Amino acid sequence: MEDELYLENIDEFVTDQNRIVTYKWLSYTLGVHVNQAKQMLYDYVERKRKENSGAQLHVTYLVAGNLIQNGHICHKVAVVREDKLEAMKSKLATIASVHVYSIQKALLKDSGPLYNTDYDIVKTNLHNCSKFSAIHCAAAVPRTSAEVSQVQTSVQAGSQTPSDTNAVSVPVVNGHGPSTAKQTAQQPKGIMGMFAAKAASKPQDTNKETKAEAKEAPGVSAVSSKPPAKGNIMNNFFGKAAMNKLKVNSVLEQPKEEKEVVKPSVPVAEPESSPNPVVEKPGKKTESARIQQKDKKSKMKRVDKSDNEEERVPENLKKKRKRIKKLQSDSSDEEDVPPSPMPEEEKAPSPPPVPALKTELEPASTEVSAGGKKRKRKRVLKSKMFIDEEEDCMVTEKVYESESCTDSEDDFAKSKPPAAHKQPVLPLRKEPKEERKNLKKGAATANRANKQVSIMGFFQKK
Amino acid sequence: MFSEQATPTAQGLLAPPSAEASTFTRVPVSAYADCSQPFRLGERSFSRQYAHIYAARLIEMRPILEERARQKWGNSVALRKLCELRAGEKCCVVGTLFKAMQLQPSILQEISEEHNLVPQPPLPKYIHPSDELILEDELQRIKLEGAVEVQRLVTGTIFAVYGSEQDDGKFLVEDHCFADLPRPLPWNGPSSDRFVLLVSGLGLGSGSGESLLSTQLLVDVVTGQLGAEGEQSCAAQISRVILAGNLLSQNTQSRDTINKAKYLTKKTQAASVEAVKMLDEILLQLCTSVPVDVMPGEFDPTNYTLPQQPLHHCMLPLASAYSTLQLVTNPYQADVDGIRFLGTSGQNVSDIFKYSSMDDYLEILEWTLLAGHISPTAPDTLGCYPFYKSDPFILTDCPHVYFCGNAPRFQSKLLKGEHGQQVLLVTVPAFSTTQTACLINLRNLSCQPIIFSGFGTEDDDGDMEVGH
């Protein structure tokens, strides 16, 4: 008989699979109304006990009713074991409902496993969690996508703090009412799109463009928290300390996205005048603005960049090969540095990690292509001193040089301490030159498992 | 009360399966209007001083208090400003109260080197017998003594005192009065039973699973999965669920990233991330069945100052897909089925608790209603946004239901005012510790606690409240 099928099912679940069968679990598994599931469980218990009174079957019940406590009439809802059922029922003044909650073979010490069972089955059925419930709500309909975007824009507009209207002069600045200065719908969509994308757990590349504009400050303000290491092979070469964007396209995006996602609460400020929280010194502000612009440009021209990279790679490769032979730097080599990498190097020495990422690609790729170099390279922290012509001062920098001793060879990656002394942009031109020279000394050795990424990278790229 | 009519069919499910299982339709949302617009902040500028909020408060409440003063002490009572006081003359002054407290934590003292003070540990109460009351108005201030209960009052209250100035420059108070209940709202309540469920302090992410089963039972009762048919049909009459703050537990607030070395915390996730995911799932289950209003609380990921802004919907991707989910501010005001609800997540009441001798949350709640201001201690000891045009915490209309969340226990009282106001005061207990929620019947403004429990190893007859 069809009705008997559920009895067999329950029997199988309880006896053979040794499960805890709660009414909810049964309801989802068999696809029946919750009340029917409860009745099924009751029926099974009754029949089983009639057949075999010694059956090893433990039942928990749900009891609900009114209880007088502290002068209030409380409504109590409790899950009790069978042996405590009558005691609970007697405590309640009126009983509103009694039904079977679960059946299991073993005696339960506490109600933890019941919760776990329910949690698991609900988790797997989240999309239709009210399907077998006894109450239907007509108002509970998912929002249409039009409404969703409307909500997003209204939230975005309402919560924005335009930096350009910091002054009290703005009429609604008492904090009442949404701001009148709205971002273009594009930007909110970009940001919200990103959040929605995260929810869908698939970052969309289409959001790249808008994202690029929108997340200048968080993106560029070099986040000291590094994004989790991606399952990116290249990443592994640089080890954990490195935040690497070896592939400009995907990796550059991903860490930024991660950062965004990791910090959803970071207010998305406008690029122009956003007070970049990380950049503290006033002098750096202009630089950060420039960086942002550069970043913007770089992000926008991602495709171009990658092309450039490819082009440059063989160039540098050549150069690096040249340098390896020379072993030590000549000043003449400095002049050889092509102007094309210069724009990148003009980047301000704002906190290193972010810029460091981009430029590591070059050394990395060159190394990869360089392939089997026999010589070993070691990175050593050294102080390098040189005269800064612009400022007319001697500059001492701690720099990671890859030294080639008898066993190891030079490669150069400079890591600058974050409190870089160089504020103005101009001296950077000289600086990068030198560093460039140093970097070019050998092929990139960065492509080793334990090598640290150097700040050098960021002078090289772009 | 709730589910009394369920009694006849209580044992109905202890039977073989019936062919048809009945489903009940949730009562439709008849009249809902969100009135918490004053608590929503658009642009925020923190470049202002907090003096403006006190000035706005005084200006707005002065007429109300002068009216009360006339009612209480006669029409001919002299209403004076502090600058107009003459020694010995009996008059009435309206002003802001300031309580000079010795034990009040002061950041200036803490960082002052000359004092060499160790920062004071947080105390449950900061009152001290040596506290003094000072009345301030727009221009001056004066010390109060006499018939004022110094310990009970808190800074920021606007009230009127009747008395005279003494020769020593202090004001001897003979009587005082507060703004009293604001004007009543018309009654548009439903004619049949409609319930609103108030829960607060879910405390997700606490690391202990004690109240998890109870939370699940709560969701199941509301969504109509638990209970016999009678109870389910009663549950269908729950028209709204309001979550009043502290959805996340205090344990999610740990700031390991600040205290620990970076290499230890590199790959760790903030505890609140998991907790918010759990919250999202719970809200999804609720939202598919009933309209839910989610208020943020002290430990929730939103801003710290009052008024707390709604949680961002990106944190709740599953549940935000439903229009039944409403993310609202703290404090929250709304018209639900014609009944005006006003409530907070409890920060205002717990702050007054710290700085006043009043011990009972319900008493404090009632006192704030009578004082005409939701949170007088803001911005002095409670973080607040620097308003300057108006103070949104002043009570202008008398709500029908006035609640505060995260109270130590459940209490409720029906307060009746002189002009026909009827207010149901409810202190909603923290669910994570008490497993208790509140059901309010909108038809007759009655309130009933609903307690959930599982069973545990030390299950004994006397222990009914706590799960395990």
Side-chain angles (χ1 to χ4, degrees):
Chain A
M1 222 175 28
E2 198 191 276
D3 290 342
E4 304 301 328
L5 205 57
Y6 71 84
L7 288 171
E8 283 173 20
N9 286 337
I10 301 176
D11 196 39
E12 187 190 328
F13 296 138
V14 177
T15 332
D16 301 337
Q17 294 178 10
N18 211 4
R19 278 182 193 274
I20 299 177
V21 180
T22 60
Y23 74 94
K24 208 194 273 188
W25 188 91
L26 191 68
S27 151
Y28 280 114
T29 316
L30 296 183
V32 293
H33 192 276
V34 281
N35 288 350
Q36 283 180 329
K38 295 167 197 166
Q39 287 168 328
M40 284 178 191
L41 286 177
Y42 176 77
D43 198 27
Y44 173 77
V45 172
E46 287 298 301
R47 289 195 197 207
K48 191 83 184 217
R49 288 211 168 136
K50 233 187 292 181
E51 290 169 10
N52 176 9
S53 59
Q56 213 206 358
L57 211 59
H58 289 104
V59 190
T60 59
Y61 287 88
L62 179 99
V63 186
N66 284 344
L67 178 73
I68 313 272
Q69 197 175 39
N70 297 337
H72 302 288
I73 302 179
C74 311
H75 188 78
K76 180 134 176 112
V77 177
V79 177
V80 291
R81 284 199 295 251
E82 197 169 7
D83 43 357
K84 298 279 191 310
L85 176 62
E86 292 307 318
M88 180 61 81
K89 273 161 82 168
S90 61
K91 273 199 206 117
L92 298 175
T94 59
I95 299 179
S97 45
V98 182
H99 63 78
V100 177
Y101 191 88
S102 78
I103 303 180
Q104 56 278 337
K105 235 168 142 183
L107 178 68
L108 288 178
K109 286 281 191 267
D110 64 68
S111 39
L114 294 177
Y115 171 73
N116 291 337
T117 317
D118 279 347
Y119 179 78
D120 290 333
I121 195 68
V122 167
K123 192 105 190 238
T124 49
N125 286 305
L126 271 181
H127 52 279
N128 59 347
C129 43
S130 273
K131 195 163 158 193
F132 303 113
S133 149
I135 299 182
H136 242 65
C137 181
V141 287
R143 290 188 222 250
T144 60
S145 55
E147 285 175 15
V148 169
S149 55
Q150 197 181 27
V151 166
Q152 285 175 356
T153 47
S154 68
V155 164
Q156 202 55 28
S159 66
Q160 278 188 3
T161 55
S163 49
D164 51 340
T165 51
N166 261 343
V168 183
S169 55
V170 177
V172 264
V173 88
N174 192 21
H176 294 189
S179 79
T180 49
K182 285 195 175 121
Q183 285 293 307
T184 61
Q186 183 73 336
Q187 232 168 357
K189 281 222 185 86
I191 304 156
M192 295 322 297
M194 200 163 52
F195 289 139
K198 173 65 182 173
S201 68
K202 254 192 196 138
Q204 300 293 332
D205 276 346
T206 51
N207 284 332
K208 235 190 264 180
E209 295 298 300
T210 51
K211 259 188 285 185
E213 291 154 5
K215 53 174 180 170
E216 295 306 337
V220 176
S221 65
V223 177
S224 51
S225 70
K226 326 240 167 165
K230 300 273 155 182
N232 194 335
I233 308 170
M234 293 302 255
N235 253 342
N236 294 338
F237 287 124
F238 293 88
K240 293 199 176 157
M243 260 179 18
N244 272 314
K245 297 181 209 170
L246 299 177
K247 291 174 197 168
V248 174
N249 278 339
S250 55
V251 182
L252 191 67
E253 271 309 289
Q254 278 179 326
K256 291 236 154 69
E257 282 171 4
E258 281 302 309
K259 272 182 246 168
E260 277 308 302
V261 159
V262 158
K263 294 184 166 187
S265 57
V266 170
V268 180
E270 282 65 85
E272 312 85 43
S273 53
S274 65
N276 196 335
V278 178
V279 179
E280 283 147 16
K281 298 173 188 161
K284 283 191 174 177
K285 251 199 182 154
T286 51
E287 292 172 347
S288 61
R290 287 198 59 200
I291 296 171
Q292 288 163 2
Q293 289 168 10
K294 292 231 174 278
D295 233 9
K296 204 196 283 194
K297 274 192 253 166
S298 71
K299 284 177 201 168
M300 301 298 259
K301 297 179 189 170
R302 207 172 296 296
V303 178
D304 296 337
K305 236 173 53 135
S306 61
D307 288 348
N308 288 344
E309 258 172 32
E310 300 312 315
E311 287 169 39
R312 273 202 296 275
V313 163
E315 260 178 38
N316 290 337
L317 190 56
K318 265 193 291 184
K319 276 204 174 33
K320 287 199 193 292
R321 286 201 171 134
K322 241 202 278 183
R323 288 186 190 278
I324 288 168
K325 286 178 195 158
K326 285 182 192 170
L327 275 189
Q328 290 304 317
S329 66
D330 318 287
S331 47
S332 60
D333 273 346
E334 290 182 37
E335 271 58 53
D336 287 344
V337 173
S340 57
M342 291 305 283
E344 308 168 78
E345 299 167 2
E346 281 168 13
K347 266 206 184 141
S350 62
V354 170
L357 302 179
K358 299 185 193 121
T359 56
E360 277 316 294
L361 174 57
E362 238 179 11
S365 56
T366 53
E367 156 132 354
V368 170
S369 49
K373 285 225 183 287
K374 300 258 171 104
R375 296 181 196 164
K376 297 217 173 136
R377 289 171 193 131
K378 248 193 207 172
R379 282 227 188 134
V380 174
L381 184 63
K382 279 194 175 170
S383 296
K384 261 203 94 62
M385 221 159 57
F386 54 89
I387 301 205
D388 183 354
E389 285 146 49
E390 192 67 26
E391 287 182 327
D392 254 3
C393 57
M394 287 179 67
V395 171
T396 310
E397 272 182 0
K398 282 205 183 246
V399 146
Y400 272 111
E401 284 192 16
S402 290
E403 280 199 319
S404 76
C405 346
T406 51
D407 298 325
S408 52
E409 196 170 83
D410 266 333
D411 187 37
F412 213 59
K414 226 183 226 183
S415 70
K416 261 206 220 163
H421 52 281
K422 299 254 177 182
Q423 301 311 321
V425 176
L426 277 175
L428 274 165
R429 294 224 169 108
K430 315 275 172 142
E431 180 62 6
K433 242 196 217 175
E434 285 210 15
E435 293 170 3
R436 185 122 186 96
K437 153 194 81 173
N438 292 328
L439 183 70
K440 297 236 179 274
K441 267 206 189 157
T445 53
N447 211 0
R448 293 241 173 166
N450 299 325
K451 289 284 194 278
Q452 295 183 9
V453 180
S454 71
I455 187 72
M456 256 322 291
F458 104 82
F459 288 118
Q460 254 188 335
K461 268 303 251 197
K462 295 203 182 165
Chain B
M1 279 315 284
F2 183 73
S3 76
E4 249 160 21
Q5 57 265 47
T7 327
T9 53
Q11 318 247 5
L13 291 179
L14 293 174
S18 48
E20 270 302 313
S22 41
T23 44
F24 307 96
T25 343
R26 172 94 43 207
V27 285
V29 177
S30 66
Y32 172 75
D34 183 10
C35 308
S36 48
Q37 203 47 42
F39 302 120
R40 288 198 186 245
L41 303 175
E43 294 168 34
R44 276 166 259 189
S45 161
F46 288 89
S47 57
R48 263 177 263 117
Q49 297 258 347
Y50 282 103
H52 303 289
I53 194 177
Y54 286 116
R57 199 183 288 180
L58 186 57
I59 291 173
E60 214 173 309
M61 292 190 72
R62 184 181 276 278
I64 305 170
L65 277 161
E66 289 181 347
E67 180 59 39
R68 289 267 175 267
R70 283 197 200 93
Q71 281 174 9
K72 193 161 181 188
W73 301 309
N75 266 328
S76 58
V77 66
L79 294 163
R80 295 258 182 271
K81 297 239 170 104
L82 285 176
C83 49
E84 300 161 357
L85 280 183
R86 266 170 264 146
E89 183 201 8
K90 285 219 193 295
C91 58
C92 160
V93 186
V94 174
T96 317
L97 196 60
F98 177 76
K99 188 152 117 175
M101 305 177 75
Q102 189 188 26
L103 291 176
Q104 183 177 350
S106 160
I107 185 69
L108 295 176
Q109 276 189 344
E110 280 179 30
I111 61 177
S112 154
E113 283 168 4
E114 48 188 53
H115 287 252
N116 279 337
L117 281 181
V118 179
Q120 197 187 58
L123 296 171
K125 277 197 181 293
Y126 292 103
I127 53 177
H128 194 268
S130 68
D131 294 339
E132 285 179 336
L133 284 182
I134 297 163
L135 189 71
E136 288 187 9
D137 71 357
E138 291 92 345
L139 297 174
Q140 295 185 354
R141 46 156 49 187
I142 194 167
K143 273 215 184 108
L144 295 179
E145 55 187 14
V148 272
E149 305 142 314
V150 181
Q151 299 299 312
R152 239 176 95 95
L153 298 171
V154 288
T155 305
T157 324
I158 311 275
F159 75 153
V161 287
Y162 182 73
S164 56
E165 188 188 353
Q166 302 298 295
D167 292 331
D168 59 357
K170 295 193 188 162
F171 193 89
L172 184 65
V173 178
E174 288 168 27
D175 199 3
H176 66 276
C177 80
F178 295 101
D180 211 8
L181 293 176
R183 60 163 193 256
L185 282 174
W187 175 267
N188 285 328
S191 46
S192 59
D193 275 348
R194 287 269 181 115
F195 296 96
V196 168
L197 185 72
L198 282 176
V199 195
S200 91
L202 284 179
L204 297 172
S206 64
S208 81
E210 283 174 13
S211 66
L212 283 177
L213 179 68
S214 304
T215 314
Q216 191 60 49
L217 289 177
L218 172 79
V219 172
D220 288 343
V221 166
V222 175
T223 53
Q225 311 212 357
L226 214 59
E229 289 197 352
E231 180 145 8
Q232 287 166 340
S233 73
C234 292
Q237 292 171 329
I238 297 179
S239 71
R240 198 158 206 98
V241 174
I242 300 181
L243 297 176
N246 280 356
L247 309 153
L248 265 47
S249 141
Q250 191 173 13
N251 298 352
T252 59
Q253 301 275 296
S254 72
R255 312 275 238 117
D256 272 352
T257 46
I258 293 182
N259 299 333
K260 283 195 187 164
K262 247 211 163 71
Y263 72 95
L264 286 172
T265 58
K266 203 154 200 146
K267 295 280 181 72
T268 53
Q269 219 182 29
S272 47
V273 175
E274 269 306 311
V276 170
K277 278 195 204 146
M278 216 187 316
L279 176 70
D280 196 21
E281 286 160 15
I282 291 177
L283 283 179
L284 175 68
Q285 293 175 51
L286 279 176
C287 286
T288 50
S289 179
V290 69
V292 184
D293 294 337
V294 182
M295 290 167 62
E298 193 182 343
F299 307 125
D300 292 328
T302 184
N303 60 316
Y304 162 73
T305 53
L306 286 191
Q308 282 184 301
Q309 298 303 290
L311 298 173
H312 201 282
H313 64 87
C314 72
M315 289 194 283
L316 309 165
L318 299 168
S320 326
Y322 286 86
S323 55
T324 41
L325 180 75
Q326 289 241 0
L327 298 165
V328 296
T329 56
N330 167 34
Y332 174 53
Q333 188 171 228
D335 277 330
V336 180
D337 293 332
I339 306 289
R340 172 68 67 95
F341 276 72
L342 173 63
T344 64
S345 298
Q347 290 115 314
N348 56 335
V349 177
S350 60
D351 199 57
I352 296 175
F353 174 83
K354 279 192 258 180
Y355 293 97
S356 151
S357 61
M358 292 189 274
D359 278 326
D360 193 18
Y361 269 55
L362 191 69
E363 185 189 347
I364 298 176
L365 196 64
E366 186 180 344
W367 183 82
T368 58
L369 194 60
L370 293 172
H373 198 277
I374 299 175
S375 160
T377 52
D380 186 40
T381 44
L382 188 60
C384 175
Y385 175 77
F387 294 104
Y388 77 105
K389 274 206 193 116
S390 64
D391 185 351
F393 299 118
I394 298 175
L395 290 162
T396 46
D397 298 313
C398 192
H400 296 118
V401 179
Y402 185 46
F403 65 90
C404 87
N406 298 300
R409 59 201 168 92
F410 167 78
Q411 284 171 291
S412 83
K413 178 177 170 182
L414 191 61
L415 188 69
K416 291 200 167 47
E418 325 173 313
H419 302 280
Q421 299 106 328
Q422 252 199 7
V423 190
L424 175 67
L425 301 169
V426 186
T427 56
V428 187
F431 194 81
S432 51
T433 45
T434 58
Q435 284 90 37
T436 311
C438 303
L439 267 176
I440 298 179
N441 189 344
L442 299 182
R443 180 177 58 87
N444 54 9
L445 277 190
S446 56
C447 184
Q448 185 182 39
I450 179 167
I451 309 174
F452 301 90
S453 68
F455 54 89
T457 47
E458 72 282 330
D459 199 15
D460 40 54
D461 279 348
D463 186 28
M464 296 254 297
E465 288 266 19
V466 182
H468 47 265

